[in-house]
Amino acid sequence: MSSRIHRVTMFKLPSPPDQQKLLEAYKVLEREHKKEDGKPYILSMKTGVTISDPRSRGWTVVNKAEFASLEDMQYYDKECKAHAALKEKVKTLGIQGGVLYGIMVVYFEADPFTL
Protein backbone atom coordinates (compact mmCIF):
# COMPACT_ATOMS: atom_id res chain seq x y z
CA MET A 1 0.00 0.00 0.00
CA SER A 2 1.48 3.32 -1.00
CA SER A 3 1.35 6.36 1.23
CA ARG A 4 0.05 9.75 0.20
CA ILE A 5 2.50 12.30 -1.17
CA HIS A 6 2.84 15.55 0.78
CA ARG A 7 4.41 18.44 -1.12
CA VAL A 8 5.58 21.70 0.41
CA THR A 9 6.44 24.69 -1.77
CA MET A 10 7.94 27.83 -0.24
CA PHE A 11 8.43 31.24 -1.82
CA LYS A 12 10.64 34.20 -0.95
CA LEU A 13 8.24 36.94 -1.92
CA PRO A 14 8.91 40.08 0.16
CA SER A 15 6.14 42.30 -1.27
CA PRO A 16 2.78 41.91 0.54
CA PRO A 17 0.82 42.83 -2.64
CA ASP A 18 2.72 40.12 -4.57
CA GLN A 19 2.07 37.67 -1.72
CA GLN A 20 -1.66 38.34 -2.10
CA LYS A 21 -1.44 37.85 -5.87
CA LEU A 22 0.16 34.46 -5.29
CA LEU A 23 -2.54 33.48 -2.78
CA GLU A 24 -5.18 34.42 -5.36
CA ALA A 25 -3.39 32.36 -8.02
CA TYR A 26 -3.49 29.33 -5.70
CA LYS A 27 -7.24 29.86 -5.19
CA VAL A 28 -7.69 29.68 -8.97
CA LEU A 29 -5.57 26.52 -9.08
CA GLU A 30 -7.71 24.95 -6.33
CA ARG A 31 -10.88 25.64 -8.35
CA GLU A 32 -9.55 24.59 -11.75
CA HIS A 33 -7.23 21.61 -11.25
CA LYS A 34 -8.51 18.55 -13.09
CA LYS A 35 -7.16 15.58 -15.00
CA GLU A 36 -8.22 14.71 -18.54
CA ASP A 37 -11.27 12.87 -17.17
CA GLY A 38 -12.44 16.12 -15.57
CA LYS A 39 -11.92 14.93 -12.02
CA PRO A 40 -9.89 16.84 -9.44
CA TYR A 41 -6.80 14.98 -8.24
CA ILE A 42 -5.36 17.11 -5.43
CA LEU A 43 -6.61 15.66 -2.14
CA SER A 44 -6.00 18.81 -0.11
CA MET A 45 -4.24 22.12 -0.47
CA LYS A 46 -3.41 24.83 2.06
CA THR A 47 -1.62 28.08 1.26
CA GLY A 48 -0.70 31.01 3.48
CA VAL A 49 1.68 33.79 4.38
CA THR A 50 4.25 32.84 7.01
CA ILE A 51 4.12 34.33 10.47
CA SER A 52 7.04 36.71 10.95
CA ASP A 53 9.85 34.83 12.67
CA PRO A 54 13.65 34.83 12.16
CA ARG A 55 13.53 31.06 11.59
CA SER A 56 11.55 31.64 8.38
CA ARG A 57 14.77 32.90 6.75
CA GLY A 58 12.93 34.98 4.16
CA TRP A 59 10.35 32.36 3.12
CA THR A 60 7.08 34.29 3.08
CA VAL A 61 4.44 32.13 1.35
CA VAL A 62 3.99 28.39 1.82
CA ASN A 63 1.78 25.90 0.01
CA LYS A 64 1.15 22.35 1.20
CA ALA A 65 -0.56 19.96 -1.19
CA GLU A 66 -1.48 16.33 -0.69
CA PHE A 67 -1.72 13.80 -3.51
CA ALA A 68 -2.93 10.19 -3.52
CA SER A 69 0.18 9.08 -5.44
CA LEU A 70 3.50 10.14 -6.83
CA GLU A 71 1.95 9.83 -10.30
CA ASP A 72 -0.69 12.43 -9.39
CA MET A 73 2.02 14.82 -8.18
CA GLN A 74 4.01 14.27 -11.37
CA TYR A 75 0.87 15.04 -13.38
CA TYR A 76 0.59 18.27 -11.37
CA ASP A 77 4.17 19.19 -12.29
CA LYS A 78 4.17 18.21 -15.94
CA GLU A 79 0.63 18.27 -17.35
CA CYS A 80 -1.83 20.24 -15.19
CA LYS A 81 -2.94 23.36 -17.08
CA ALA A 82 -4.01 25.13 -13.89
CA HIS A 83 -0.57 24.56 -12.33
CA ALA A 84 1.13 25.73 -15.55
CA ALA A 85 -0.87 28.97 -15.32
CA LEU A 86 0.18 29.42 -11.69
CA LYS A 87 3.85 28.92 -12.62
CA GLU A 88 3.53 31.60 -15.31
CA LYS A 89 1.96 33.98 -12.77
CA VAL A 90 4.81 33.33 -10.32
CA LYS A 91 7.32 34.50 -12.96
CA THR A 92 5.67 37.95 -12.93
CA LEU A 93 6.02 38.37 -9.16
CA GLY A 94 9.04 39.70 -7.28
CA ILE A 95 10.56 36.39 -6.18
CA GLN A 96 13.70 37.20 -4.20
CA GLY A 97 16.59 35.38 -5.85
CA GLY A 98 14.48 34.46 -8.89
CA VAL A 99 12.84 31.11 -9.44
CA LEU A 100 16.10 29.22 -8.89
CA TYR A 101 16.79 30.50 -5.36
CA GLY A 102 13.47 32.01 -4.30
CA ILE A 103 11.34 28.87 -4.58
CA MET A 104 11.85 25.59 -2.73
CA VAL A 105 9.89 22.40 -3.33
CA VAL A 106 10.13 19.27 -1.21
CA TYR A 107 7.87 16.25 -1.09
CA PHE A 108 7.66 13.10 0.95
CA GLU A 109 5.65 10.06 1.88
CA ALA A 110 4.53 10.37 5.48
CA ASP A 111 5.57 7.71 7.94
CA PRO A 112 2.36 5.74 8.50
CA PHE A 113 3.01 5.64 12.24
CA THR A 114 2.96 9.42 12.70
CA LEU A 115 -0.13 11.52 13.38
Side-chain angles (χ1 to χ4, degrees), residues 1-2 11 34 42 45 48 69 77-78 86 95 105 107 110:
M1 177 177 140
S2 68
F11 300 87
K34 293 179 178 53
I42 298 172
M45 181 173 283
S69 66
D77 270 338
K78 298 174 184 170
L86 180 131
I95 300 290
V105 178
Y107 54 95

Coordinates of all heavy atoms in Angstrom, one line a residue, residues 1-2 11 34 42 45 48 69 77-78 86 95 105 107 110:
M1 N 0.8 -1.2 0.0 CA 0.0 0.0 0.0 C 0.9 1.2 0.0 O 1.8 1.4 0.8 CB -0.9 0.0 1.2 CG -1.8 1.2 1.4 SD -2.8 1.0 2.8 CE -2.7 2.7 3.4
S2 N 0.7 2.1 -0.9 CA 1.5 3.3 -1.0 C 0.9 4.4 -0.1 O -0.3 4.5 0.1 CB 1.6 3.8 -2.4 OG 0.4 4.3 -2.9
F11 N 8.1 30.1 -1.0 CA 8.4 31.2 -1.8 C 9.0 32.4 -1.0 O 8.5 32.7 0.1 CB 7.2 31.8 -2.5 CG 6.5 30.8 -3.4 CD1 5.5 30.0 -2.9 CD2 6.8 30.7 -4.7 CE1 4.8 29.1 -3.7 CE2 6.1 29.8 -5.5 CZ 5.1 29.0 -5.0
K34 N -7.8 19.8 -12.7 CA -8.5 18.5 -13.1 C -7.6 17.7 -14.0 O -6.8 18.3 -14.7 CB -9.8 18.9 -13.8 CG -10.8 19.6 -12.9 CD -12.1 19.9 -13.7 CE -13.1 20.5 -12.9 NZ -12.8 21.7 -12.1
I42 N -6.1 16.7 -6.6 CA -5.4 17.1 -5.4 C -6.3 16.8 -4.2 O -7.4 17.3 -4.2 CB -5.0 18.6 -5.5 CG1 -4.1 18.9 -6.7 CG2 -4.4 19.1 -4.2 CD1 -3.9 20.4 -7.0
M45 N -5.2 21.1 -0.2 CA -4.2 22.1 -0.5 C -4.5 23.3 0.5 O -5.6 23.7 0.7 CB -4.4 22.6 -1.9 CG -3.4 23.7 -2.2 SD -3.4 24.2 -4.0 CE -2.5 22.8 -4.7
G48 N -0.6 29.8 2.6 CA -0.7 31.0 3.5 C 0.6 31.8 3.6 O 1.7 31.3 3.1
S69 N -0.9 9.9 -4.9 CA 0.2 9.1 -5.4 C 1.3 10.0 -6.0 O 1.0 11.2 -6.3 CB -0.3 8.1 -6.6 OG -0.7 8.9 -7.7
D77 N 3.0 18.5 -11.8 CA 4.2 19.2 -12.3 C 4.2 19.3 -13.8 O 4.7 20.3 -14.3 CB 5.4 18.4 -11.8 CG 5.9 18.9 -10.5 OD1 5.6 20.1 -10.1 OD2 6.6 18.2 -9.8
K78 N 3.9 18.3 -14.5 CA 4.2 18.2 -15.9 C 3.0 18.5 -16.9 O 3.2 18.9 -18.0 CB 4.8 16.8 -16.3 CG 6.1 16.6 -15.6 CD 6.6 15.2 -15.8 CE 7.8 14.9 -15.0 NZ 8.2 13.5 -14.9
L86 N -0.4 28.9 -12.9 CA 0.2 29.4 -11.7 C 1.7 29.7 -11.8 O 2.2 30.7 -11.4 CB -0.1 28.5 -10.5 CG 0.5 29.0 -9.2 CD1 -0.6 28.9 -8.1 CD2 1.7 28.2 -8.8
I95 N 9.9 37.5 -6.9 CA 10.6 36.4 -6.2 C 12.0 36.8 -5.9 O 12.8 37.0 -6.8 CB 10.5 35.1 -7.0 CG1 9.1 34.6 -7.3 CG2 11.3 34.0 -6.2 CD1 8.3 34.2 -6.1
V105 N 10.9 23.4 -3.3 CA 9.9 22.4 -3.3 C 10.5 21.1 -2.7 O 11.6 20.7 -3.1 CB 9.4 22.1 -4.8 CG1 8.4 21.0 -4.8 CG2 8.9 23.3 -5.4
Y107 N 9.0 17.1 -1.2 CA 7.9 16.3 -1.1 C 8.3 15.0 -0.4 O 9.5 14.6 -0.5 CB 7.2 16.0 -2.4 CG 8.0 15.5 -3.5 CD1 8.1 14.1 -3.8 CD2 8.7 16.4 -4.4 CE1 8.9 13.7 -4.9 CE2 9.5 15.9 -5.4 CZ 9.6 14.6 -5.6 OH 10.3 14.1 -6.7
A110 N 4.6 10.3 4.0 CA 4.5 10.4 5.5 C 4.7 9.0 6.1 O 4.3 8.0 5.5 CB 3.2 10.9 6.0

